[in-house]
Amino acid sequence: MSGRGVARAWPMSLALAFATLSGHALRAQTETLRLPAFNDQPESDRVVIDVSPALAQHGRGGPAGFVTCTFENPDAQTHELSIRIEGWQAIASVRDRLRLQPKERVIRHYPVHRYGDSLALRVEGERGVEVRSANLGGGTLPFSVLLITPRAEAVGEVQSPLSLIVASVQPAPTPRGTGALSGTPARGPGFGITEARPSVLPKNWACFAGFDLLIVDGRGAIEAASEQALVDTIAAGGALLVLWAESLADGPLRRAFGERHVGQLAFGHFLVVNGAPQQSAELTQWLVGGSGGGVLDGVAHRQVSGPAADDLHTELEIPGLGRIPVGTFFVLLTLFVIVAGPINIFMCRRAKRPLLIAFTLPLLGFGFAAAILLWGVLAEGLGVRGTVRSLTWLDQRAHVSVNQAGATLFAGLTPSALTPGPGTLVSARLEDPRGGNSRRLVIDHASGGRVSGSLLPARTPTNVTTVTHQRTRERLRFRRLQDGSLEALFGPGLVPTAPGIVVRDHAGQLYHGVPQGDRTVLTRADAPAVGVFLRDGREEFLNVPIMQRENERRFGISRPVAGSDSPHQAMASGLRALFSELQPGTYAAWVEDNAAFDTLGLVVAWEVRRHLVLGLLAEDDFVD
């Protein structure tokens, strides 16, 4: 790196380090990179790259914000660039290729993951020579806030009341060996604010997924597509605080909240405030208090970043995988003893070469070992097997679905790539305190966001978590029968399975039913019966066996005891809050297949499936 490059890089690195350690506001820094001239071009004719990182300052592995790169080609030649954003040991990386035409200017927003204390941007020119590496900083704070505002003074207005509220939260230290920094405990209490300008926000909701709290200053103009990305982030499980809401223009944000100033949107939560934030009881309860805890209360105990609950990141059991059939094993062992013993000795003596036993015995041992290994490979298959749990919020009025899923997959052969659909965020728990982790999360934007197959190595049970926000036409409809009951009308993507469906129609009447062959008829029910039905269904959804020994050994995750604070317990509480009481015009359904779940382009033989759907019904979803 040249002296001038070092001079440019160290102020940014120092500012990032200071903001990370102190927990104070971090304004999105901008650094200019210049590629060296090729073919004796003049010094002024260089590709210019403006880099603006907006990164979460917590210490958890997973989604960590976004990096905005503005590429500008001021000369008369075409340039090809290779871009990489990666962190510690390149466990997670973003890759892209760009062809810049003469005088062209291109802006790219890259959602990034972090499994370590920093990220680095690397750019290569036409000749494959790395021309610059810019350190983008890291973080170890319990909470991370993204403040979207056009005014520099807004940082101070927001930070003071938030500091007083967040200081009342005492986060538990990260268990050694389970955090994103390989044993570095999270400092607390504390939070970091990263500032972003509303005029340059991404239009991809995954860019915001790494932040614990999004704050929008209503006095700034945000493009409709970026506002929609913020709405999608909240629906996926985020938290949004809108300040100076009286100045918020009409757009997706204002339409999503309607007349409500506080509430839930799919899996996420929002609060709308007029004017600057004040240390009010409502704001305090929304952030850190209340019977179910505030939006930040559970974040201090999280081990994985992103909207999906920690429990969805635990590895599930795949029935039959790695199980040794004891009877078959003893039959093979007995057969080996007979062949390697009496038969081998008899054949060697018959050949009048008794010393041959010294060669045949090892060969027979290796042969039987190879046969057992081959049998194990063939028995477990060369395809992909798996166990999955998914939870879907389906708005049949707006034809929008949000799906959170945790799947444990076992691939006989490493797939060439995973192909997530549009609107899907892929993450995984990749840290391995023992080192030598073979799994990598490599996202290639040049090929439409494909994920490298190294995320799913061959013959290794691997948990992959997906959060999908998409438009959908799949829906459940209900026909009213003469006796007052309902018959479920379902398409191929939503086929009910046990324990069935519960529905509250728009008049408030409750129904429930269990599939009987090809029909599902729902009869009227009272609230206590539906409450038991929902409780039993939630337990069935949660009680998919996990790979307990492996998770305890690697991550300290185990099944909970009464009153314990664990990923499983946290998700159980979330499900109770989500499904405890069905509002008029909603249903909860356990389905065999789930059209909203993204299978990442893989053909999977599912050994266990648990798909739970919460749907919002339109009036025309009830037919006569």
Side-chain angles (χ1 to χ4, degrees), residues 56-382:
Q57 298 175 61
H58 55 61
R60 298 185 297 279
F66 60 94
V67 176
T68 302
C69 295
T70 302
F71 304 93
E72 188 169 2
N73 181 10
D75 65 27
Q77 297 190 23
T78 299
H79 290 292
E80 293 187 2
L81 306 180
S82 175
I83 301 103
R84 288 183 296 157
I85 304 173
E86 56 192 21
W88 178 65
Q89 295 185 355
I91 290 177
S93 62
V94 170
R95 298 179 183 177
D96 198 6
R97 295 192 67 85
L98 197 61
R99 185 180 178 86
L100 281 178
Q101 300 298 331
K103 309 300 181 182
E104 186 178 16
R105 183 173 182 268
V106 176
I107 299 177
R108 290 282 191 271
H109 300 282
Y110 297 111
V112 293
H113 291 66
R114 179 170 56 212
Y115 296 87
D117 59 356
S118 66
L119 288 171
L121 168 69
R122 295 182 173 88
V123 181
E124 297 178 0
E126 289 93 330
R127 299 181 181 179
V129 178
E130 184 172 297
V131 297
R132 185 62 184 274
S133 175
N135 192 339
L136 304 179
T140 59
L141 297 171
F143 310 114
S144 188
V145 177
L146 178 67
L147 173 60
I148 301 169
T149 179
R151 306 180 183 217
E153 63 272 16
V155 176
E157 295 174 290
V158 169
Q159 186 170 348
S160 178
L162 252 64
S163 297
L164 294 174
I165 295 171
V166 173
S168 64
V169 180
Q170 296 292 336
T174 301
R176 186 164 187 82
T178 65
L181 303 182
S182 299
T184 303
R187 266 193 270 252
F191 69 95
I193 295 181
T194 300
E195 183 186 348
R197 298 301 183 200
S199 58
V200 291
L201 288 179
K203 300 173 178 59
N204 178 3
W205 76 266
C207 291
F208 303 108
F211 295 95
D212 303 318
L213 175 63
L214 303 175
I215 301 179
V216 171
D217 182 344
R219 298 170 295 183
I222 304 176
E223 287 188 37
S226 297
E227 278 199 13
Q228 186 60 55
L230 291 170
V231 172
D232 294 347
T233 305
I234 306 313
L240 177 67
L241 173 62
V242 179
L243 304 174
W244 295 280
E246 68 278 7
S247 302
L248 191 66
D250 184 33
L253 272 177
R254 185 175 287 280
R255 290 193 292 270
F257 307 144
E259 299 299 320
R260 301 178 297 168
H261 81 281
V262 63
Q264 187 167 359
L265 178 63
F267 297 117
H269 303 267
F270 67 88
L271 176 64
V272 179
V273 176
N274 287 328
Q278 303 294 328
Q279 195 185 0
S280 63
E282 182 181 47
L283 181 57
T284 301
Q285 182 174 8
W286 186 77
L287 284 174
V288 298
S291 58
V295 297
L296 293 182
D297 198 35
V299 172
H301 303 279
R302 289 284 302 274
Q303 301 297 312
V304 184
S305 178
D310 276 4
D311 200 42
L312 289 178
H313 289 271
T314 56
E315 293 182 3
L316 308 174
E317 266 191 21
I318 301 176
L321 184 66
R323 301 288 178 85
I324 299 175
V326 178
T328 303
F329 177 77
F330 276 106
V331 168
L332 288 173
L333 185 60
T334 303
L335 182 62
F336 170 73
V337 170
I338 294 173
V339 173
I343 294 179
N344 186 28
I345 293 173
F346 173 77
M347 296 300 293
C348 289
R349 285 182 176 177
R350 185 176 180 182
K352 297 181 180 180
R353 301 181 65 180
L355 294 179
L356 195 60
I357 295 176
F359 298 96
T360 57
L361 192 58
L363 287 175
L364 286 170
F366 283 119
F368 267 86
I372 291 173
L373 180 62
L374 179 62
W375 175 85
V377 170
L378 295 177
E380 292 177 343
L382 300 178

Side-chain angles (χ1 to χ4, degrees), residues 301-518:
H301 303 279
R302 289 284 302 274
Q303 301 297 312
V304 184
S305 178
D310 276 4
D311 200 42
L312 289 178
H313 289 271
T314 56
E315 293 182 3
L316 308 174
E317 266 191 21
I318 301 176
L321 184 66
R323 301 288 178 85
I324 299 175
V326 178
T328 303
F329 177 77
F330 276 106
V331 168
L332 288 173
L333 185 60
T334 303
L335 182 62
F336 170 73
V337 170
I338 294 173
V339 173
I343 294 179
N344 186 28
I345 293 173
F346 173 77
M347 296 300 293
C348 289
R349 285 182 176 177
R350 185 176 180 182
K352 297 181 180 180
R353 301 181 65 180
L355 294 179
L356 195 60
I357 295 176
F359 298 96
T360 57
L361 192 58
L363 287 175
L364 286 170
F366 283 119
F368 267 86
I372 291 173
L373 180 62
L374 179 62
W375 175 85
V377 170
L378 295 177
E380 292 177 343
L382 300 178
V384 182
R385 302 165 60 187
T387 297
V388 63
R389 289 183 300 169
S390 79
L391 185 62
T392 299
W393 181 85
L394 175 60
D395 186 347
Q396 298 187 179
R397 307 162 189 172
H399 305 289
V400 171
S401 70
V402 182
N403 176 269
Q404 296 184 355
T408 297
L409 303 173
F410 177 85
L413 300 173
T414 301
S416 58
L418 285 67
T419 54
T424 294
L425 172 69
V426 180
S427 64
R429 187 189 284 271
L430 299 177
E431 312 96 323
D432 189 346
R434 300 164 298 171
N437 197 333
S438 61
R439 286 182 288 174
R440 296 286 186 271
L441 178 59
V442 180
I443 303 173
D444 188 356
H445 287 268
S447 59
R450 296 180 72 189
V451 178
S452 168
S454 59
L455 181 63
L456 183 59
R459 319 208 68 76
T460 304
T462 303
N463 180 269
V464 178
T465 303
T466 59
V467 180
T468 302
H469 194 292
Q470 63 182 4
R471 305 282 298 180
T472 181
R473 304 300 301 183
E474 297 293 338
R475 62 198 304 176
L476 274 174
R477 306 185 74 188
F478 301 92
R479 178 185 291 120
R480 297 190 182 274
L481 304 180
Q482 294 289 340
D483 59 0
S485 58
L486 300 175
E487 180 183 5
L489 307 175
F490 47 85
L494 291 172
V495 179
T497 186
I501 309 173
V502 291
V503 177
R504 184 188 290 269
D505 66 13
H506 292 89
Q509 177 61 52
L510 289 165
Y511 302 82
H512 77 85
V514 181
Q516 301 289 338
D518 294 335

